[in-house]
Amino acid sequence: MIFKFQSYTLDTLRHELLKDGHPVALPPKAFAVLAYLLNRNDRLVTKSELLEAFWPANVSEAALQTT
């Protein structure tokens, strides 16, 4: 799936993020979170939902700030 937003293009099949056509380095988990958010752009995604989707139990909300 390809998402375009502002000057960015996210291609989930190629696992690639581009800005103005140039590759942007993004760690795998950050890429996955961005793709998750873009797939749900029609609604609010809560911190709890992100934590449940990407981190094991007993991880604090601080994990969202360092990804």
Side-chain angles (χ1 to χ4, degrees), residues 10-54:
L10 183 89
D11 186 333
T12 58
L13 295 177
R14 292 180 153 184
H15 203 80
E16 181 176 68
L17 177 64
L18 303 173
K19 181 177 182 189
D20 297 322
H22 301 284
V24 175
L26 199 58
K29 187 163 284 193
F31 185 94
V33 170
L34 180 57
Y36 186 89
L37 291 170
L38 289 169
N39 271 307
R40 290 152 182 82
N41 67 359
D42 60 333
R43 64 179 182 83
L44 177 68
V45 176
T46 65
K47 286 182 185 181
S48 297
E49 183 179 346
L50 286 174
L51 288 169
E52 184 177 310
F54 292 99

